[in-house]
Amino acid sequence: MTTPEKSFICSELLKILNNADWQKKPLCYMYDYYKNQGESDEEAKNHDSVDIGWLLLEVISEMPRKFETDSSYRKTYTYIPE
């Protein structure tokens, strides 16, 4: 649960700290999907990162709580108290 003074990025939420951690998480299934479509390692990683970002945005947009985002490459989500 986020608090007004706590922000997060998607990788923190999913506890992805490095590539070794990433390969042990559910994201590896998205990565495998793109690899099986003939994409390179880098293309598959980029696509699954975009996919998880869209999934997070969908979940957050349907929550009763409101979040503010910045416009950086790795969006930071900050809870806005009502």
Side-chain angles (χ1 to χ4, degrees):
M1 174 182 293
T2 55
T3 60
E5 59 277 344
K6 178 69 174 147
S7 298
F8 66 91
I9 60 174
C10 187
S11 60
E12 289 173 340
L13 184 66
L14 298 172
K15 304 290 186 211
I16 300 170
L17 305 175
N18 56 45
N19 281 340
D21 285 344
W22 173 86
Q23 293 177 352
K24 298 174 187 174
K25 303 291 182 190
L27 284 179
C28 67
Y29 296 104
M30 286 186 215
Y31 171 82
D32 289 343
Y33 170 80
Y34 288 114
K35 283 295 288 179
N36 291 334
Q37 299 298 313
E39 294 189 2
S40 69
D41 288 343
E42 193 63 32
E43 290 170 326
K45 285 180 187 177
N46 287 338
H47 271 123
D48 71 6
S49 296
V50 169
D51 287 350
I52 198 64
W54 281 110
L55 289 170
L56 177 60
L57 183 61
E58 182 70 23
V59 169
I60 286 178
S61 68
E62 293 185 12
M63 291 179 72
R65 294 177 176 213
K66 300 298 176 208
F67 292 85
E68 177 179 88
T69 62
D70 65 10
S71 60
S72 65
Y73 174 71
R74 290 183 160 192
K75 284 194 185 322
T76 301
Y77 296 86
T78 306
Y79 171 64
I80 303 171
E82 295 182 29

